Amino acid sequence: IDIISANIGMDHIFYCSRKIIARVGEHNVTKLEISLENELCEGNAYLDFKKSNGEKYRSQKLEIVDNVATYKIPRAVLNQEGELLVQLVIEKEGEATWESFVKKYYVQEAINAVDEIPVVEKESAFTLTDKISGKRYKIYVADGKLMMEAIK
């Protein structure tokens, strides 16, 4: 996991020196860890995202432990190359009570050399022994299906 550390204080400034947040198509590979001042830990915290095409996305409620909010960025946020705006929002009783200034990141193009993951031709198998019965089984993949057969 690629961890991006940031700080947000009561001055509303989203401090983070990193410019590129991730590559197009990644899913839960990049994690934002945002250190918050005590006052910002009261209420429900969310991240709002705005992509370069204008599409917006709101995170689930952020988990905050020891004044650090963490969020793994899903593919839904990283499905387009270009500018990505991020803003922390604190809500109390369903109302936005505090917002950080907007932080500008960039989602980088990914070089996907293949459209599909290649099928591994090499057959691989392993054995499993049931500790209760003592029976042994061979486990392998055949025609795309997981197979298990007893070993005599």
Side-chain angles (χ1 to χ4, degrees):
I1 290 187
D2 184 16
I3 297 174
I4 298 176
S5 297
N7 297 300
I8 299 178
M10 290 304 294
D11 60 1
H12 299 263
I13 298 174
F14 199 126
Y15 296 98
C16 182
S17 61
R18 184 134 163 206
K19 303 290 185 218
I20 296 174
I21 196 164
R23 273 120 339 257
V24 172
E26 291 182 337
H27 180 67
N28 292 340
V29 174
T30 302
K31 181 164 98 173
L32 283 171
E33 289 186 350
I34 306 169
S35 296
L36 305 171
E37 288 188 16
N38 287 334
E39 295 85 358
L40 298 177
C41 297
E42 300 166 7
N44 297 321
Y46 302 90
L47 288 173
D48 283 350
F49 297 90
K50 184 178 179 184
K51 302 176 200 178
S52 58
N53 67 356
E55 184 180 340
K56 296 178 182 178
Y57 180 92
R58 174 163 277 190
S59 72
Q60 296 178 347
K61 180 182 163 189
L62 303 179
E63 180 180 345
I64 301 174
V65 177
D66 296 329
N67 289 23
V68 177
T70 59
Y71 183 68
K72 288 183 181 176
I73 305 173
R75 183 176 293 115
V77 174
L78 303 173
N79 61 0
Q80 179 184 14
E81 179 185 6
E83 190 174 86
L84 180 67
L85 304 178
V86 183
Q87 181 176 42
L88 177 73
V89 178
I90 306 294
E91 288 188 353
K92 292 182 182 174
E93 299 174 17
E95 295 287 324
T97 58
W98 189 92
E99 295 177 340
S100 72
F101 292 138
V102 173
K103 174 67 178 164
K104 188 184 299 186
Y105 286 106
Y106 189 80
V107 178
Q108 188 178 53
E109 176 186 9
I111 299 174
N112 296 318
V114 294
D115 292 330
E116 296 179 18
I117 297 172
V119 176
V120 178
E121 297 296 332
K122 180 181 175 184
E123 181 183 314
S124 59
F126 64 94
T127 58
L128 172 71
T129 303
D130 183 325
K131 289 189 176 190
I132 296 172
S133 69
K135 291 183 181 177
R136 294 176 36 147
Y137 300 92
K138 176 181 176 184
I139 299 175
Y140 59 98
V141 175
D143 297 324
K145 296 178 184 175
L146 185 61
M147 307 294 289
M148 182 170 84
E149 63 184 49
I151 300 173
K152 296 180 183 183

